[in-house]
Amino acid sequence: MSRAGDRGKALARWLGTGLLGLFLLPMSLSLEVSVGKATTIYAVNGTEILLPCTFSSCFGFENLRFWWTYNSTDIFKLLIDGTVKNEKSDPRVKLKGDDRITLEGSTKEKMNNISILLSSLEFSDTGKYTCHVKNPKENDLQHQATIFLQVVDKLEEVDNTVTLIILAVVGGVIGLLIFILLLKKFITFVLKKTREKKKECLVSSSGNDNTENGLPGSKAEEKPPTKV
């Protein structure tokens, strides 16, 4: 009975895992919305800024709706509202809540871009900007992504002194290691050549005649026979 119970529990766990996977699979393939890697962007007062937003869907889309909203501590407003008929159609604007906003979107080359350009920036434009997308093919589930805009007097220059110093030190260390390796190879080459020359000298010296010292291998001077 215990074995049968264990098998039943194992089967139940397996079925549960499989059903969970089937449930999560559509979610993993569902529409995704992105405003880029930066969570905060900075822009100078009086200029313009592009607020990026793209979307993708493995299911495809039809009559997709998108809209942008602005939210600060005391204000919430709809900036732009539009639709994308299908993957071959460019986004269209149905409603625009601010004349300073221009839709820069396009679905060409499967970019699915619904970014907006905000011009004549004011300090009051500082706040959260959220890109919303709803796809009827996914039961009208809403997806969104938020980016924070900070309007400033001027953009501060980033001090890269520390970074440059670190890069210089690292580059110097790498250069020194390369120099040491090259020097080691050169010294090894010189020592090898020096040993080879010494060996050649020893071999040639051992084969030379040495009549003065009467060393082995030397030839004795032939003397004429003594007359009696």
Side-chain angles (χ1 to χ4, degrees), residues 158-174:
V158 180
D159 188 2
N160 294 324
T161 305
V162 176
T163 303
L164 293 175
I165 292 175
I166 294 175
L167 291 176
V169 172
V170 173
V173 171
I174 294 175

Side-chain angles (χ1 to χ4, degrees), residues 22-222:
L22 291 175
F23 175 76
L24 293 177
L25 181 60
M27 296 179 62
S28 63
L29 298 176
S30 63
L31 186 143
E32 293 183 358
V33 181
S34 173
V35 291
K37 295 182 179 179
T39 57
T40 302
I41 55 177
Y42 298 87
V44 178
N45 182 40
T47 62
E48 60 183 23
I49 187 69
L50 180 69
L51 301 176
C53 183
T54 58
F55 67 90
S56 61
S57 175
C58 293
F59 294 119
F61 59 89
E62 187 174 355
N63 295 323
L64 178 141
R65 181 196 170 198
F66 69 91
W67 67 99
W68 278 86
T69 58
Y70 166 77
N71 185 22
S72 64
T73 54
D74 54 354
I75 299 176
F76 178 85
K77 61 181 178 179
L78 176 67
L79 299 176
I80 193 172
D81 193 342
T83 58
V84 185
K85 185 175 181 181
N86 52 48
E87 298 177 7
K88 297 180 180 180
S89 303
D90 284 335
R92 292 186 178 183
V93 178
K94 296 175 59 179
L95 175 66
K96 189 163 61 172
D98 195 323
D99 293 334
R100 298 179 300 152
I101 292 178
T102 305
L103 177 65
E104 297 291 329
S106 174
T107 56
K108 294 179 180 179
E109 299 180 359
K110 298 182 179 181
M111 293 297 294
N112 295 337
N113 187 357
I114 47 176
S115 304
I116 58 174
L117 182 69
L118 179 59
S119 59
S120 302
L121 287 174
E122 303 173 355
F123 290 110
S124 59
D125 292 325
T126 296
K128 294 180 180 180
Y129 291 79
T130 304
C131 177
H132 308 261
V133 179
K134 183 182 291 187
N135 186 11
K137 281 192 173 184
E138 300 180 21
N139 298 324
D140 284 331
L141 290 177
Q142 179 182 331
H143 306 268
Q144 62 187 39
T146 300
I147 190 169
F148 186 82
L149 172 64
Q150 179 70 52
V151 181
V152 295
D153 281 324
K154 62 179 181 178
L155 296 177
E156 296 181 359
E157 296 183 0
V158 180
D159 188 2
N160 294 324
T161 305
V162 176
T163 303
L164 293 175
I165 292 175
I166 294 175
L167 291 176
V169 172
V170 173
V173 171
I174 294 175
L176 180 61
L177 291 175
I178 294 174
F179 174 76
I180 292 174
L181 291 175
L182 293 176
L183 181 62
K184 181 180 179 181
K185 289 186 177 181
F186 177 75
I187 294 174
T188 303
F189 175 77
V190 172
L191 292 176
K192 182 179 179 181
K193 290 296 182 181
T194 303
R195 286 195 297 267
E196 289 178 354
K197 287 184 179 181
K198 287 183 178 180
K199 187 175 180 180
E200 290 177 359
C201 290
L202 291 174
V203 172
S204 59
S205 298
S206 62
N208 289 338
D209 294 340
N210 193 337
T211 56
E212 295 181 357
N213 297 327
L215 294 177
S218 62
K219 295 182 180 180
E221 182 181 354
E222 295 183 359

